[in-house]
mmCIF file of all heavy atoms in Angstrom:
data_model
loop_
_atom_site.group_PDB
_atom_site.id
_atom_site.type_symbol
_atom_site.label_atom_id
_atom_site.label_comp_id
_atom_site.label_asym_id
_atom_site.label_seq_id
_atom_site.Cartn_x
_atom_site.Cartn_y
_atom_site.Cartn_z
ATOM 1 N N ALA W 1 -1.074 5.751 -10.789
ATOM 2 C CA ALA W 1 -2.262 6.379 -10.110
ATOM 3 C C ALA W 1 -1.878 7.757 -9.611
ATOM 4 O O ALA W 1 -1.852 8.100 -8.378
ATOM 5 C CB ALA W 1 -2.854 5.566 -9.001
ATOM 6 N N SER W 2 -1.509 8.641 -10.473
ATOM 7 C CA SER W 2 -0.815 9.871 -10.191
ATOM 8 C C SER W 2 -1.873 11.017 -9.750
ATOM 9 O O SER W 2 -1.506 12.190 -9.452
ATOM 10 C CB SER W 2 0.007 10.447 -11.298
ATOM 11 O OG SER W 2 -0.846 10.522 -12.441
ATOM 12 N N ASP W 3 -3.095 10.680 -9.746
ATOM 13 C CA ASP W 3 -4.104 11.627 -9.398
ATOM 14 C C ASP W 3 -4.073 11.960 -7.874
ATOM 15 O O ASP W 3 -3.478 11.151 -7.091
ATOM 16 C CB ASP W 3 -5.558 11.223 -9.796
ATOM 17 C CG ASP W 3 -5.742 11.037 -11.208
ATOM 18 O OD1 ASP W 3 -5.002 11.750 -11.956
ATOM 19 O OD2 ASP W 3 -6.657 10.297 -11.705
ATOM 20 N N ILE W 4 -4.698 13.088 -7.423
ATOM 21 C CA ILE W 4 -4.851 13.447 -6.086
ATOM 22 C C ILE W 4 -5.789 12.443 -5.400
ATOM 23 O O ILE W 4 -6.917 12.181 -5.993
ATOM 24 C CB ILE W 4 -5.333 14.960 -5.898
ATOM 25 C CG1 ILE W 4 -4.348 15.855 -6.544
ATOM 26 C CG2 ILE W 4 -5.518 15.179 -4.369
ATOM 27 C CD1 ILE W 4 -2.889 15.822 -5.943
ATOM 28 N N ILE W 5 -5.444 11.917 -4.222
ATOM 29 C CA ILE W 5 -6.296 11.014 -3.531
ATOM 30 C C ILE W 5 -6.784 11.681 -2.232
ATOM 31 O O ILE W 5 -5.901 12.201 -1.493
ATOM 32 C CB ILE W 5 -5.549 9.707 -3.143
ATOM 33 C CG1 ILE W 5 -4.884 9.006 -4.408
ATOM 34 C CG2 ILE W 5 -6.462 8.730 -2.415
ATOM 35 C CD1 ILE W 5 -5.853 8.548 -5.406
ATOM 36 N N THR W 6 -8.082 11.692 -2.081
ATOM 37 C CA THR W 6 -8.661 12.301 -0.775
ATOM 38 C C THR W 6 -8.815 11.169 0.144
ATOM 39 O O THR W 6 -9.512 10.159 -0.112
ATOM 40 C CB THR W 6 -9.978 13.090 -1.067
ATOM 41 O OG1 THR W 6 -9.682 14.103 -2.026
ATOM 42 C CG2 THR W 6 -10.529 13.590 0.178
ATOM 43 N N ILE W 7 -8.275 11.357 1.374
ATOM 44 C CA ILE W 7 -8.454 10.357 2.448
ATOM 45 C C ILE W 7 -9.707 10.719 3.284
ATOM 46 O O ILE W 7 -9.675 11.799 3.960
ATOM 47 C CB ILE W 7 -7.187 10.278 3.294
ATOM 48 C CG1 ILE W 7 -6.023 9.952 2.404
ATOM 49 C CG2 ILE W 7 -7.410 9.108 4.342
ATOM 50 C CD1 ILE W 7 -6.110 8.652 1.577
ATOM 51 N N ALA W 8 -10.736 9.915 3.264
ATOM 52 C CA ALA W 8 -12.013 10.352 3.958
ATOM 53 C C ALA W 8 -11.741 10.402 5.469
ATOM 54 O O ALA W 8 -12.327 11.273 6.118
ATOM 55 C CB ALA W 8 -13.042 9.392 3.599
ATOM 56 N N SER W 9 -11.067 9.414 5.963
ATOM 57 C CA SER W 9 -10.793 9.317 7.420
ATOM 58 C C SER W 9 -9.544 8.688 7.771
ATOM 59 O O SER W 9 -9.035 7.906 6.774
ATOM 60 C CB SER W 9 -11.941 8.654 8.198
ATOM 61 O OG SER W 9 -11.966 7.301 7.888
ATOM 62 N N ALA W 10 -9.047 8.806 8.886
ATOM 63 C CA ALA W 10 -7.784 8.130 9.281
ATOM 64 C C ALA W 10 -7.789 6.688 9.121
ATOM 65 O O ALA W 10 -6.771 6.070 8.595
ATOM 66 C CB ALA W 10 -7.478 8.501 10.704
ATOM 67 N N ASP W 11 -8.931 6.039 9.398
ATOM 68 C CA ASP W 11 -9.005 4.565 9.336
ATOM 69 C C ASP W 11 -9.054 4.112 7.900
ATOM 70 O O ASP W 11 -8.909 2.856 7.737
ATOM 71 C CB ASP W 11 -10.192 4.035 10.158
ATOM 72 C CG ASP W 11 -9.970 4.172 11.594
ATOM 73 O OD1 ASP W 11 -8.752 4.194 12.021
ATOM 74 O OD2 ASP W 11 -10.979 4.297 12.371
ATOM 75 N N THR W 12 -9.388 4.865 6.930
ATOM 76 C CA THR W 12 -9.432 4.455 5.571
ATOM 77 C C THR W 12 -8.157 4.603 4.786
ATOM 78 O O THR W 12 -8.073 4.358 3.653
ATOM 79 C CB THR W 12 -10.589 5.187 4.810
ATOM 80 O OG1 THR W 12 -10.252 6.578 4.656
ATOM 81 C CG2 THR W 12 -11.906 5.042 5.498
ATOM 82 N N TYR W 13 -7.134 5.089 5.437
ATOM 83 C CA TYR W 13 -5.803 5.533 4.750
ATOM 84 C C TYR W 13 -5.240 4.308 4.042
ATOM 85 O O TYR W 13 -5.003 4.403 2.790
ATOM 86 C CB TYR W 13 -4.939 6.045 5.746
ATOM 87 C CG TYR W 13 -3.492 6.340 5.337
ATOM 88 C CD1 TYR W 13 -3.283 7.459 4.424
ATOM 89 C CD2 TYR W 13 -2.373 5.507 5.627
ATOM 90 C CE1 TYR W 13 -2.049 7.655 3.931
ATOM 91 C CE2 TYR W 13 -1.158 5.794 5.155
ATOM 92 C CZ TYR W 13 -0.922 6.866 4.276
ATOM 93 O OH TYR W 13 0.325 7.146 3.794
ATOM 94 N N ALA W 14 -4.920 3.263 4.744
ATOM 95 C CA ALA W 14 -4.307 2.111 4.148
ATOM 96 C C ALA W 14 -5.021 1.513 2.977
ATOM 97 O O ALA W 14 -4.484 1.168 1.862
ATOM 98 C CB ALA W 14 -3.896 0.963 5.158
ATOM 99 N N ALA W 15 -6.317 1.290 3.222
ATOM 100 C CA ALA W 15 -7.163 0.737 2.157
ATOM 101 C C ALA W 15 -7.277 1.592 0.954
ATOM 102 O O ALA W 15 -7.252 1.219 -0.277
ATOM 103 C CB ALA W 15 -8.540 0.415 2.669
ATOM 104 N N ALA W 16 -7.305 2.921 1.210
ATOM 105 C CA ALA W 16 -7.502 3.932 0.052
ATOM 106 C C ALA W 16 -6.204 3.843 -0.744
ATOM 107 O O ALA W 16 -6.316 3.970 -2.045
ATOM 108 C CB ALA W 16 -7.797 5.345 0.626
ATOM 109 N N LEU W 17 -5.014 3.875 -0.121
ATOM 110 C CA LEU W 17 -3.820 3.819 -0.830
ATOM 111 C C LEU W 17 -3.727 2.510 -1.746
ATOM 112 O O LEU W 17 -3.242 2.566 -2.838
ATOM 113 C CB LEU W 17 -2.603 3.969 0.092
ATOM 114 C CG LEU W 17 -2.257 5.323 0.698
ATOM 115 C CD1 LEU W 17 -1.063 5.292 1.469
ATOM 116 C CD2 LEU W 17 -2.288 6.362 -0.386
ATOM 117 N N THR W 18 -4.114 1.434 -1.172
ATOM 118 C CA THR W 18 -4.023 0.141 -1.855
ATOM 119 C C THR W 18 -4.934 0.098 -2.995
ATOM 120 O O THR W 18 -4.602 -0.352 -4.143
ATOM 121 C CB THR W 18 -4.247 -1.002 -0.871
ATOM 122 O OG1 THR W 18 -3.375 -0.910 0.192
ATOM 123 C CG2 THR W 18 -4.052 -2.306 -1.527
ATOM 124 N N THR W 19 -6.243 0.419 -2.796
ATOM 125 C CA THR W 19 -7.163 0.320 -3.939
ATOM 126 C C THR W 19 -7.251 1.433 -4.882
ATOM 127 O O THR W 19 -7.456 1.319 -6.060
ATOM 128 C CB THR W 19 -8.622 0.205 -3.259
ATOM 129 O OG1 THR W 19 -8.953 1.339 -2.441
ATOM 130 C CG2 THR W 19 -8.711 -1.025 -2.345
ATOM 131 N N GLN W 20 -6.915 2.657 -4.494
ATOM 132 C CA GLN W 20 -7.107 3.819 -5.269
ATOM 133 C C GLN W 20 -5.734 4.364 -5.858
ATOM 134 O O GLN W 20 -5.581 4.788 -6.945
ATOM 135 C CB GLN W 20 -7.820 5.075 -4.632
ATOM 136 C CG GLN W 20 -9.207 4.659 -4.126
ATOM 137 C CD GLN W 20 -9.797 5.880 -3.438
ATOM 138 O OE1 GLN W 20 -9.733 7.030 -3.867
ATOM 139 N NE2 GLN W 20 -10.307 5.571 -2.286
ATOM 140 N N ALA W 21 -4.694 4.244 -4.925
ATOM 141 C CA ALA W 21 -3.410 4.916 -5.247
ATOM 142 C C ALA W 21 -2.303 3.947 -5.817
ATOM 143 O O ALA W 21 -1.242 4.324 -6.162
ATOM 144 C CB ALA W 21 -2.932 5.556 -4.012
ATOM 145 N N LYS W 22 -2.649 2.624 -5.782
ATOM 146 C CA LYS W 22 -1.644 1.695 -6.257
ATOM 147 C C LYS W 22 -0.391 1.788 -5.325
ATOM 148 O O LYS W 22 0.705 1.826 -5.864
ATOM 149 C CB LYS W 22 -1.311 1.852 -7.706
ATOM 150 C CG LYS W 22 -2.408 1.521 -8.656
ATOM 151 C CD LYS W 22 -2.797 0.021 -8.607
ATOM 152 C CE LYS W 22 -3.901 -0.290 -9.598
ATOM 153 N NZ LYS W 22 -4.340 -1.718 -9.588
ATOM 154 N N VAL W 23 -0.565 1.797 -4.070
ATOM 155 C CA VAL W 23 0.519 1.924 -3.139
ATOM 156 C C VAL W 23 0.258 0.900 -1.966
ATOM 157 O O VAL W 23 -0.773 0.911 -1.431
ATOM 158 C CB VAL W 23 0.625 3.358 -2.528
ATOM 159 C CG1 VAL W 23 1.687 3.343 -1.478
ATOM 160 C CG2 VAL W 23 0.991 4.322 -3.603
ATOM 161 N N LEU W 24 1.287 0.119 -1.684
ATOM 162 C CA LEU W 24 1.299 -0.782 -0.466
ATOM 163 C C LEU W 24 2.074 -0.012 0.507
ATOM 164 O O LEU W 24 3.325 0.044 0.551
ATOM 165 C CB LEU W 24 1.945 -2.116 -0.722
ATOM 166 C CG LEU W 24 1.288 -3.073 -1.736
ATOM 167 C CD1 LEU W 24 2.114 -4.321 -1.981
ATOM 168 C CD2 LEU W 24 -0.133 -3.381 -1.219
ATOM 169 N N PRO W 25 1.404 0.702 1.539
ATOM 170 C CA PRO W 25 2.073 1.586 2.383
ATOM 171 C C PRO W 25 2.950 1.010 3.505
ATOM 172 O O PRO W 25 3.888 1.651 3.873
ATOM 173 C CB PRO W 25 0.934 2.415 2.957
ATOM 174 C CG PRO W 25 -0.256 1.511 2.877
ATOM 175 C CD PRO W 25 -0.032 0.699 1.680
ATOM 176 N N ASN W 26 2.600 -0.173 3.994
ATOM 177 C CA ASN W 26 3.236 -0.748 5.025
ATOM 178 C C ASN W 26 4.585 -1.435 4.567
ATOM 179 O O ASN W 26 4.630 -2.237 3.712
ATOM 180 C CB ASN W 26 2.451 -1.822 5.722
ATOM 181 C CG ASN W 26 3.133 -2.406 7.063
ATOM 182 O OD1 ASN W 26 4.008 -3.162 6.849
ATOM 183 N ND2 ASN W 26 2.606 -1.938 8.217
ATOM 184 N N PHE W 27 5.754 -0.945 5.099
ATOM 185 C CA PHE W 27 7.025 -1.417 4.570
ATOM 186 C C PHE W 27 7.132 -2.863 4.802
ATOM 187 O O PHE W 27 7.653 -3.646 3.848
ATOM 188 C CB PHE W 27 8.064 -0.682 5.413
ATOM 189 C CG PHE W 27 9.511 -0.933 4.962
ATOM 190 C CD1 PHE W 27 10.135 -0.169 4.093
ATOM 191 C CD2 PHE W 27 10.229 -2.136 5.283
ATOM 192 C CE1 PHE W 27 11.449 -0.340 3.515
ATOM 193 C CE2 PHE W 27 11.498 -2.379 4.792
ATOM 194 C CZ PHE W 27 12.086 -1.470 3.934
ATOM 195 N N ASN W 28 6.827 -3.483 5.980
ATOM 196 C CA ASN W 28 6.998 -4.935 6.187
ATOM 197 C C ASN W 28 6.123 -5.723 5.348
ATOM 198 O O ASN W 28 6.518 -6.782 4.848
ATOM 199 C CB ASN W 28 6.810 -5.190 7.692
ATOM 200 C CG ASN W 28 7.855 -4.636 8.597
ATOM 201 O OD1 ASN W 28 9.002 -4.505 8.174
ATOM 202 N ND2 ASN W 28 7.499 -4.342 9.820
ATOM 203 N N GLN W 29 4.860 -5.358 5.175
ATOM 204 C CA GLN W 29 3.954 -6.005 4.288
ATOM 205 C C GLN W 29 4.419 -6.067 2.832
ATOM 206 O O GLN W 29 4.308 -6.971 2.115
ATOM 207 C CB GLN W 29 2.571 -5.484 4.367
ATOM 208 C CG GLN W 29 1.851 -5.780 5.777
ATOM 209 C CD GLN W 29 0.502 -5.214 5.868
ATOM 210 O OE1 GLN W 29 0.006 -4.524 4.968
ATOM 211 N NE2 GLN W 29 -0.047 -5.298 7.015
ATOM 212 N N ARG W 30 4.987 -4.863 2.431
ATOM 213 C CA ARG W 30 5.461 -4.758 1.015
ATOM 214 C C ARG W 30 6.734 -5.712 0.923
ATOM 215 O O ARG W 30 6.828 -6.332 -0.149
ATOM 216 C CB ARG W 30 5.863 -3.335 0.829
ATOM 217 C CG ARG W 30 5.941 -2.963 -0.740
ATOM 218 C CD ARG W 30 5.905 -1.410 -0.931
ATOM 219 N NE ARG W 30 7.036 -0.810 -0.339
ATOM 220 C CZ ARG W 30 6.971 0.048 0.707
ATOM 221 N NH1 ARG W 30 5.818 0.190 1.383
ATOM 222 N NH2 ARG W 30 8.105 0.627 1.145
ATOM 223 N N ARG W 31 7.563 -5.807 1.885
ATOM 224 C CA ARG W 31 8.691 -6.619 1.870
ATOM 225 C C ARG W 31 8.262 -8.078 1.828
ATOM 226 O O ARG W 31 8.835 -8.889 0.986
ATOM 227 C CB ARG W 31 9.561 -6.378 3.134
ATOM 228 C CG ARG W 31 10.884 -7.054 3.064
ATOM 229 C CD ARG W 31 11.643 -6.726 4.415
ATOM 230 N NE ARG W 31 13.023 -7.099 4.396
ATOM 231 C CZ ARG W 31 13.483 -8.360 4.681
ATOM 232 N NH1 ARG W 31 12.725 -9.351 4.923
ATOM 233 N NH2 ARG W 31 14.825 -8.481 4.631
ATOM 234 N N GLU W 32 7.303 -8.488 2.619
ATOM 235 C CA GLU W 32 6.842 -9.892 2.645
ATOM 236 C C GLU W 32 6.237 -10.225 1.254
ATOM 237 O O GLU W 32 6.433 -11.278 0.797
ATOM 238 C CB GLU W 32 5.744 -9.993 3.697
ATOM 239 C CG GLU W 32 6.431 -10.047 5.134
ATOM 240 C CD GLU W 32 5.340 -9.896 6.177
ATOM 241 O OE1 GLU W 32 4.170 -9.994 5.856
ATOM 242 O OE2 GLU W 32 5.735 -9.779 7.363
ATOM 243 N N PHE W 33 5.465 -9.272 0.588
ATOM 244 C CA PHE W 33 4.907 -9.474 -0.681
ATOM 245 C C PHE W 33 6.069 -9.842 -1.689
ATOM 246 O O PHE W 33 5.915 -10.734 -2.489
ATOM 247 C CB PHE W 33 4.029 -8.336 -1.093
ATOM 248 C CG PHE W 33 3.546 -8.458 -2.469
ATOM 249 C CD1 PHE W 33 2.235 -8.996 -2.727
ATOM 250 C CD2 PHE W 33 4.259 -7.916 -3.570
ATOM 251 C CE1 PHE W 33 1.781 -9.186 -4.031
ATOM 252 C CE2 PHE W 33 3.739 -8.075 -4.874
ATOM 253 C CZ PHE W 33 2.497 -8.694 -5.121
ATOM 254 N N ILE W 34 7.011 -8.925 -1.706
ATOM 255 C CA ILE W 34 8.176 -9.101 -2.576
ATOM 256 C C ILE W 34 8.885 -10.418 -2.444
ATOM 257 O O ILE W 34 9.125 -11.147 -3.373
ATOM 258 C CB ILE W 34 9.160 -7.928 -2.448
ATOM 259 C CG1 ILE W 34 8.567 -6.643 -2.921
ATOM 260 C CG2 ILE W 34 10.464 -8.132 -3.220
ATOM 261 C CD1 ILE W 34 9.387 -5.378 -2.592
ATOM 262 N N GLU W 35 9.156 -10.753 -1.144
ATOM 263 C CA GLU W 35 9.877 -12.068 -0.899
ATOM 264 C C GLU W 35 9.029 -13.218 -1.376
ATOM 265 O O GLU W 35 9.566 -14.221 -2.083
ATOM 266 C CB GLU W 35 10.123 -12.179 0.633
ATOM 267 C CG GLU W 35 10.836 -13.344 1.039
ATOM 268 C CD GLU W 35 11.233 -13.357 2.463
ATOM 269 O OE1 GLU W 35 10.914 -12.480 3.150
ATOM 270 O OE2 GLU W 35 11.944 -14.383 2.896
ATOM 271 N N ALA W 36 7.772 -13.204 -1.144
ATOM 272 C CA ALA W 36 6.855 -14.415 -1.482
ATOM 273 C C ALA W 36 6.759 -14.432 -3.064
ATOM 274 O O ALA W 36 6.762 -15.504 -3.698
ATOM 275 C CB ALA W 36 5.437 -14.233 -0.986
ATOM 276 N N ALA W 37 6.707 -13.238 -3.749
ATOM 277 C CA ALA W 37 6.607 -13.196 -5.198
ATOM 278 C C ALA W 37 7.899 -13.633 -5.766
ATOM 279 O O ALA W 37 7.903 -14.334 -6.844
ATOM 280 C CB ALA W 37 6.284 -11.767 -5.639
ATOM 281 N N LEU W 38 9.078 -13.339 -5.256
ATOM 282 C CA LEU W 38 10.340 -13.818 -5.792
ATOM 283 C C LEU W 38 10.499 -15.270 -5.671
ATOM 284 O O LEU W 38 10.899 -16.014 -6.599
ATOM 285 C CB LEU W 38 11.465 -13.075 -4.956
ATOM 286 C CG LEU W 38 11.750 -11.651 -5.217
ATOM 287 C CD1 LEU W 38 12.711 -11.116 -4.221
ATOM 288 C CD2 LEU W 38 12.316 -11.468 -6.614
ATOM 289 N N LEU W 39 10.081 -15.853 -4.540
ATOM 290 C CA LEU W 39 10.121 -17.289 -4.397
ATOM 291 C C LEU W 39 9.173 -17.974 -5.361
ATOM 292 O O LEU W 39 9.592 -19.091 -5.990
ATOM 293 C CB LEU W 39 9.679 -17.695 -2.927
ATOM 294 C CG LEU W 39 10.673 -17.291 -1.840
ATOM 295 C CD1 LEU W 39 10.082 -17.496 -0.432
ATOM 296 C CD2 LEU W 39 11.997 -17.988 -1.942
#
């Protein structure tokens, strides 16, 4: 998802990255996802 992403407001940041940018921005949540997926 290499396009420019416009963030409408501060509160939409995490959701916008996840749905539009294919990015899981929170380090701990990303780590937990990886651990669960590995198991």
